[in-house]
Amino acid sequence: MRETIYPRAWATRPGRVTPTEYLGPVQGSETRIDPDAWDAAIADTDGPQLVVGGPGSGKTEFLVRRARHLIDDTGVRPDHLLLLSFSRRGAADLRTRLATTLDRSFSRIPALTFHSLALQLIEAHGAEGDWPSPPTPLTGPEQVTLVAEVLAGEDPKAWPQPFRGLLGTRSFAADLADFCMRAAERLIGPDEIEGFARADWRAIPGFMRRYRDTLVDRGRIDYGSLQAEAIRLLARPEVRQERGGVPTHILVDEYQDTTVSQATLLDHLAGPGGNLTVAGDPYQSVYSFRGAEVGNIDAFPTRFGSDEHPARRLVLTTSFRVPEAILSAAVRVTAGTGLPGAAGPVIPAPGEGSVETYRFDQQSHEAEWIAGEIQRAHLVGRIPYRDMAVLVRSKRSLLGELARALHRRHIPHEQPDDRLVGHRLVRCIGDLVEAATADGNRRTDAFRRVLLGPLVGLPLGRVREMERTALRGEAWTEVLASDDGAAEIGELVADPTWAATAPASDGFWAVWTTLSVFDRVARDPAAADDRAALASFGQALERLRDRDDTSTLRDYFAAAGAEDFEAEPLLEFRASDTDQVTLTTLHQAKGEEYDVVFIADAREGVLPDLRTRDSILGTRHLSPTHSGDDSAYTRFRIQEEMRLVYTALCRARHRAVVTCTSMGVDMTGGAPSRIIPLIAGRPMEEAAGSPGEYQEPITALEAEAWLRRTARDPQEPAVDRLAALAALTRPGAWRPRDPGHFAGVLDRGPDHGVTEKPLRMSPSRAESYLTCPRRYVLERGLGLGNAGSTYASLGSAIHDALERAESAALARGDDHGTADEALAALDEVFEPDDYGGSPWAEAWHARASWIITRLYDLWPGEGPAVGLEVSVQREIDGVQWVGRIDRVEQRPEGVWVIDYKTGTRVPKTTDAAVSVQLGFYVSAVDASEVAGAEMWFPASKQVSIPRRGFDLSRLPDVEEAMRVAQQGIADERWNPEPGVHCERCPHRTLCPAWPEGAEAYAG
């Protein structure tokens, strides 16, 4: 142990910043502790002590060894010791590390988060507080929901004008919930809010009082109020007297991330001069958006010291993890910020380490290069995948592309959004809940996912047939009951109370006991992962029931849209021993360490993130650290982003790589981040170049690609080209693919097995096939590109409205109905959810109203209806044809068949003359009794309603076309039929008749 301040050699090393630039002012003297002096420092446990150290200097290890010393060497009982950390992961790490080092086992290691400690205090002493019984905590989404509920009862006139129109929105409720949370963390109540004298906050104090009354009435508490209530309890003399001197020693990790309320909680627990040891590093304070106050470390000596026991500051001098090159780069990023209370220069770990910065022209190139480097490090460097990580500032951009690049190379990795609700069986239960409770297209889509998913696993053709049956008007319960494989789903859907009204855990039990698939999951040795996920899911629902026994499965999955909801179940559902690459954010990597770290997507605006974190309410003004003018706040934000990069770089033990994408053809890049020249220690134009293009191949695919390039490169020597060609074509132990095949292109699959048996035909199927068999099979057989569902919904709504209006007219004996009748019917049948809700639904409703009004204003009919929505069928060569005629009209010359068309495109007269649809209707009714058939186009903007008639003399030609269509579909002939319709076809890249699609079928 020594009393020196900084090693003299520090300021003279090339590339180093000075201690003044790095550290800033420090209160009082300090003791710097080298590794060989740890034992003596650990054993000196009395009084308040602040342990500061740079990255990898062993702050957490110091606390764990002190806890072990207190228990094993001085006889302190574990229940008289308290270890605290910022996060559940940090508390679990403290608990595990201490348990593995103790000389004997204990049933309980007291390592908690601040929130867990506060909850224990409230459960033990809640009778002395405002709540009549211990309250249950609200999750983040639950808090937003409760705030929204209280806001719904607010008087808009009490709020400032800009907020009045927002009171009913969930986004404003989320902002206000965050405001209340941050205020509680800073121990700012309604009275203090009034003291700010801000006009835009004038309604908030009253709301906060009503919100708190609601919490008390319902026995709930949010996480901000949780700590404030614990502090209020500890302020009571009777509570402090009951607790006595327990705990005798408190050890706190990650102190730089504590809030005002957490520091105050320690005040009450330890008292002036108490045995309190905290560890932290101001340069790793990156959670201001969660209320962390970076000044807590600097204020520690005056806050916790006393005349008898002044606070001591212990500085750990040496990093055990971060080598010279990486540490120097991290220090350069934060140079000049001058944070009070920092540890100062740190002696790096042995070894040089390496820092690399690269720039790419496309994000796909960036992702592929990172994936290749990870594979190379694993195969050549023998680095386990678990010892490598890719860190990004935001999950929204690169992680999806990177996950796909890793998947293509078969590199195991964490999924970017690997959450419990994303597990395949849990996700299917969510789909089943939606199928049981939703309406319209959402319900149909949910049924499709359920029936195709692992709960049922029906073939696509069968599911399509069930959907068509449901669209024809048959209830889904009947459709499901008719299929043995889906009957259990039908049983659940018939009575959706398990999803909509029963407690969530009871709803899950209903699903579990009804579906036989879970019996197989429970017994199958290969389904261990599924069982783990379902066990975690069941536990999460029980925890939800403990908090709120009225929450249903529908409520759970609705809340699961929030990223933090049940993100960390107590029962882990992922395999903990999997060797896989970590993909996560810079924040979530805090406290971890890896051999190799990639900091990806380092673009300006992304890293540093320059978006304001302040809400519409100005929440940042609650903190003295953030309440300055906009320029001061921006400087603070940038400095915190720099600290985030500093922290992320120092996760690396050997190699740190920073990558970015400049603006490229995919338009996903941007300017390289300002951090890149700081990390590289060179100007921007020299800081990041492209990585070397050539590297020795390390996989069979890379070797094959290298040989192909060599064989076709005219600049290569002939002998090398011949050798490459020989290696590609010669059979042997290493067998590359057929040299005539292209890498990445699958062999052509079968064109059969798509048509369902027995074959049933309709005019629309026939017309689609005759236009282009290839497009028919892609869209109707495989379900690709069916993007016209909104137009289909509009057509169905108009047809339903017309049928109701015309049925009323038919019953009265009128020739036709009225626009008012049809518009009233439209209001009854129109489902806004089918059109995406407001405001889109209003626009589609207006369009439907215009079409209906125009039809009746310019009514093209010439006689009364004698039939509406008439179902017709006919058998052709053993194949059943079915259809539905919109209107059968009696005219002087005889019966006419009418079909309404709600699209804007009007066909040529010659095309309509041979319409398969009209021809089928004529033949199905009886051609001898039909005087004519025509289509009406009320959506056209022509002066009158266009009508296109069928040529009865062409009926034999149409019937032959129908036979051609049914035979082609039955024989599964899917040859493309190029024509003018190809101009708007979305499948040209899959069509061998076009150059852009032909490549997929080469070879």
Side-chain angles (χ1 to χ4, degrees):
M1 196 180 304
R2 52 193 174 129
E3 297 293 333
T4 56
I5 303 301
Y6 309 113
R8 194 176 291 272
W10 175 269
T12 62
R13 292 185 182 179
R16 294 286 196 182
V17 296
T18 66
T20 303
E21 290 176 316
Y22 178 70
L23 179 61
V26 176
Q27 291 189 11
S29 61
E30 62 184 27
T31 302
R32 296 181 66 83
I33 304 172
D34 291 331
D36 57 3
W38 269 43
D39 289 343
I42 287 169
D44 187 4
T45 62
D46 294 338
Q49 300 179 34
L50 171 63
V51 180
V52 292
S57 58
K59 298 180 290 296
T60 303
E61 179 66 17
F62 188 94
L63 294 180
V64 170
R65 289 172 61 177
R66 173 164 285 185
R68 184 183 65 184
H69 167 77
L70 288 168
I71 295 173
D72 282 344
D73 299 336
T74 65
V76 174
R77 289 169 45 186
D79 57 344
H80 286 185
L81 186 67
L82 177 61
L83 287 84
L84 293 171
S85 187
F86 171 73
S87 65
R88 279 190 289 177
R89 186 175 63 184
D93 181 50
L94 284 172
R95 191 180 305 115
T96 301
R97 291 167 69 167
L98 180 56
T100 57
T101 60
L102 290 173
D103 291 340
R104 59 191 189 279
S105 61
F106 294 93
S107 59
R108 179 176 175 272
I109 302 296
L112 305 170
T113 65
F114 281 94
H115 292 102
S116 297
L117 173 64
L119 185 59
Q120 287 187 6
L121 288 168
I122 291 173
E123 288 174 343
H125 306 284
E128 287 85 1
D130 291 343
W131 277 261
S133 60
T136 54
L138 292 164
T139 64
E142 289 172 337
Q143 183 190 7
V144 173
T145 299
L146 184 59
V147 168
E149 186 178 333
V150 179
L151 275 176
E154 292 286 289
D155 179 8
K157 295 179 181 178
W159 288 81
Q161 183 66 39
F163 300 150
R164 292 175 186 175
L166 303 175
L167 297 182
T169 66
R170 189 168 179 85
S171 59
F172 185 75
D175 279 349
L176 188 54
D178 182 69
F179 184 98
C180 294
M181 181 82 76
R182 303 308 156 216
E185 288 171 341
R186 295 179 174 95
L187 303 180
I188 297 174
D191 295 341
E192 290 78 14
I193 296 294
E194 291 171 343
F196 278 85
R198 289 178 58 99
D200 56 339
W201 289 1
R202 71 171 186 264
I204 294 180
F207 169 83
M208 293 176 70
R209 295 183 179 101
R210 289 185 289 276
Y211 169 64
R212 181 177 175 82
D213 290 343
T214 304
L215 288 175
V216 173
D217 289 344
R218 300 190 182 184
R220 307 303 300 274
I221 192 168
D222 61 49
Y223 281 100
S225 302
L226 191 69
Q227 296 178 92
E229 181 66 13
I231 291 169
R232 272 190 285 272
L233 289 173
L234 287 174
R236 295 174 179 267
E238 59 271 23
V239 173
R240 290 200 305 274
Q241 183 177 2
E242 182 179 344
R243 290 187 59 82
V246 179
T248 61
H249 291 80
I250 303 173
L251 299 93
V252 183
D253 199 12
E254 305 287 4
Y255 187 68
Q256 77 278 349
D257 293 326
T258 53
T259 64
V260 170
S261 61
Q262 289 166 349
T264 305
L265 189 64
L266 292 175
D267 252 338
H268 287 286
L269 287 171
N275 297 328
L276 171 65
T277 304
V278 304
D281 177 7
Y283 277 88
Q284 297 186 61
S285 177
V286 294
Y287 283 106
S288 67
F289 64 94
R290 290 186 179 176
E293 286 292 344
V294 67
N296 279 351
I297 283 186
D298 184 49
F300 181 89
T302 55
R303 181 166 201 157
F304 293 98
S306 66
D307 293 339
E308 184 178 355
H309 294 287
R312 288 177 288 166
R313 175 181 162 89
L314 310 179
V315 178
L316 306 180
T317 63
T318 305
S319 177
F320 299 98
R321 179 180 71 237
V322 189
E324 169 81 21
I326 298 175
L327 187 59
S328 294
V331 170
R332 284 195 297 270
V333 171
T334 54
T337 54
L339 280 179
V346 176
I347 299 171
E352 287 296 318
S354 68
V355 177
E356 304 156 43
T357 53
Y358 297 114
R359 177 164 41 180
F360 300 86
D361 59 356
Q362 295 185 43
Q363 280 202 336
S364 56
H365 187 192
E366 181 180 0
E368 285 292 342
W369 183 85
I370 291 173
E373 284 298 293
I374 289 172
Q375 190 171 44
R376 185 174 299 277
H378 179 70
L379 296 177
V380 178
R382 302 299 180 185
I383 299 175
Y385 285 128
R386 66 169 59 89
D387 288 335
M388 291 183 277
V390 184
L391 313 181
V392 293
R393 181 63 179 85
S394 169
K395 291 182 177 181
R396 289 187 297 272
S397 181
L398 184 67
L399 278 193
E401 187 75 49
L402 179 61
R404 289 188 289 273
L406 294 171
H407 180 74
R408 283 191 290 270
R409 292 174 178 265
H410 305 289
I411 297 174
H413 59 279
E414 293 180 0
Q415 293 300 316
D417 295 308
D418 187 16
R419 299 170 55 211
L420 175 59
V421 291
H423 185 274
R424 66 187 195 110
L425 289 184
V426 178
R427 186 172 62 247
C428 283
I429 295 173
D431 291 336
L432 184 56
V433 170
E434 186 168 1
T437 59
D439 296 316
N441 285 347
R442 286 181 54 209
R443 190 181 198 207
T444 300
D445 292 343
F447 271 123
R448 182 186 304 123
R449 295 193 298 271
V450 170
L451 296 173
L452 293 174
L455 293 184
V456 184
L458 293 181
L460 176 61
R462 178 59 185 141
V463 175
R464 292 290 190 193
E465 179 61 29
M466 295 170 76
E467 289 178 359
R468 286 191 289 270
T469 303
L471 288 173
R472 288 195 292 267
E474 188 170 342
W476 266 108
T477 51
E478 298 175 5
V479 174
L480 296 167
S482 65
D483 190 293
D484 292 341
E488 294 173 343
I489 299 294
E491 181 182 342
L492 283 169
V493 173
D495 181 10
T497 55
W498 60 271
T501 59
S505 56
D506 291 349
F508 177 43
W509 179 249
V511 175
W512 176 270
T513 54
T514 301
L515 300 185
S516 57
V517 65
F518 291 123
D519 182 64
R520 296 193 296 272
V521 170
R523 298 172 185 274
D524 186 358
D529 290 344
D530 290 338
R531 287 195 294 274
L534 292 172
S536 291
F537 181 58
Q539 183 201 56
L541 297 182
E542 284 297 335
R543 293 167 66 193
L544 177 62
R545 186 172 192 156
D546 291 340
R547 296 192 306 270
D548 183 3
D549 60 6
T550 66
S551 289
T552 65
L553 273 178
R554 180 168 58 183
D555 298 331
Y556 174 87
F557 284 104
E563 188 171 345
D564 60 345
F565 185 81
E566 294 294 357
E568 295 293 338
L570 295 179
L571 290 177
E572 184 57 68
F573 66 96
R574 309 170 187 88
S576 59
D577 58 347
T578 302
D579 184 24
Q580 60 183 8
V581 177
T582 297
L583 307 183
T584 189
T585 64
L586 276 69
H587 280 99
Q588 291 172 341
K590 194 169 182 291
E592 302 294 326
E593 57 182 79
Y594 307 92
D595 285 348
V596 181
V597 168
F598 295 86
I599 299 178
D601 201 22
R603 295 176 286 139
E604 191 69 8
V606 176
L607 181 65
D609 182 358
L610 301 180
R611 297 170 302 160
T612 176
R613 282 193 178 275
D614 201 17
S615 71
I616 190 174
L617 294 169
T619 306
R620 69 178 172 92
H621 294 285
L622 291 168
S623 169
T625 309
H626 313 154
S627 58
D629 58 28
D630 290 344
S631 60
Y633 177 61
T634 300
R635 284 195 301 274
F636 169 82
R637 285 290 320 286
I638 292 176
Q639 289 175 359
E640 185 174 60
E641 291 288 300
M642 296 303 188
R643 296 198 297 271
L644 181 60
V645 175
Y646 165 96
T647 304
L649 280 170
C650 294
R651 301 307 96 202
R653 289 187 286 254
H654 302 299
R655 182 188 181 196
V657 183
V658 182
T659 64
C660 71
T661 295
S662 297
M663 188 63 71
V665 295
D666 59 0
M667 302 299 289
T668 52
S673 171
R674 68 187 72 184
I675 69 168
I676 288 180
L678 297 175
I679 291 172
R682 299 187 299 274
M684 178 67 80
E685 57 271 14
E686 304 173 9
S690 298
E693 290 298 326
Y694 176 76
Q695 288 182 305
E696 292 288 346
I698 58 172
T699 67
L701 285 177
E702 288 183 359
E704 180 183 331
W706 175 70
L707 289 169
R708 286 179 181 270
R709 287 195 301 268
T710 302
R712 65 178 297 179
D713 188 350
Q715 295 184 346
E716 292 288 340
V719 64
D720 290 345
R721 297 178 66 192
L722 288 172
L725 186 60
L728 283 168
T729 58
R730 182 177 62 245
W734 176 62
R735 297 179 181 273
R737 287 166 295 190
D738 187 314
H741 290 178
F742 289 89
V745 177
L746 299 176
D747 292 335
R748 182 180 300 190
D751 283 347
H752 56 273
V754 179
T755 300
E756 306 156 14
K757 300 295 190 293
L759 178 62
R760 286 167 59 90
M761 290 294 296
S762 68
S764 62
R765 291 185 70 176
E767 289 182 336
S768 178
Y769 179 84
L770 292 171
T771 301
C772 179
R774 195 76 177 187
R775 183 169 182 175
Y776 167 86
V777 71
L778 291 174
E779 293 186 346
R780 296 208 171 214
L782 303 180
L784 301 180
N786 286 329
S789 58
T790 304
Y791 289 95
S793 298
L794 182 75
S796 297
I798 293 174
H799 278 73
D800 290 347
L802 293 176
E803 180 189 3
R804 295 190 183 197
E806 293 306 297
S807 296
L810 182 63
R812 293 194 305 266
D814 294 342
D815 282 4
H816 61 81
T818 66
D820 290 341
E821 289 176 318
L823 292 175
L826 176 67
D827 291 338
E828 295 177 4
V829 302
F830 192 85
E831 292 288 348
D833 287 347
D834 293 346
Y835 307 88
S838 181
W840 300 277
E842 286 83 351
W844 285 102
H845 187 278
R847 177 176 176 80
S849 300
W850 177 82
I851 293 173
I852 289 173
T853 302
R854 175 175 163 80
L855 176 63
Y856 282 102
D857 287 347
L858 303 173
W859 184 258
E862 300 178 17
V866 294
L868 298 169
E869 294 296 323
V870 179
S871 295
V872 292
Q873 59 184 3
R874 181 189 171 190
E875 186 175 298
I876 300 178
D877 298 338
V879 174
Q880 190 73 21
W881 284 68
V882 296
R884 187 182 294 267
I885 303 174
D886 293 337
R887 178 182 179 89
V888 179
E889 190 170 282
Q890 182 67 53
R891 297 181 182 178
E893 64 272 25
V895 173
W896 277 71
V897 172
I898 311 297
D899 190 63
Y900 309 135
K901 296 296 184 184
T902 56
T904 58
R905 179 180 173 274
V906 180
K908 296 179 181 178
T909 302
T910 53
D911 292 336
V914 290
S915 165
V916 169
Q917 186 172 31
L918 292 180
F920 167 70
Y921 291 159
V922 169
S923 65
V925 172
D926 188 343
S928 63
E929 297 181 2
V930 176
E934 63 184 10
M935 296 177 282
W936 295 354
F937 296 88
S940 169
K941 294 185 178 180
Q942 297 182 24
V943 176
S944 60
I945 302 293
R947 298 189 295 177
R948 293 292 183 267
F950 178 73
D951 185 348
L952 295 178
S953 67
R954 303 291 300 276
L955 185 58
D957 297 335
V958 172
E959 291 182 337
E960 180 59 28
M962 293 167 63
R963 287 185 170 86
V964 169
Q966 78 176 30
Q967 193 62 46
I969 294 175
D971 294 343
E972 300 192 293
R973 296 195 296 266
W974 314 124
N975 296 325
E977 189 69 39
V980 293
H981 52 269
C982 294
E983 294 181 5
R984 297 186 179 181
C985 180
H987 309 298
R988 285 174 60 154
T989 56
L990 301 174
C991 181
W994 289 92
E996 55 264 47
E999 292 182 2
Y1001 301 94

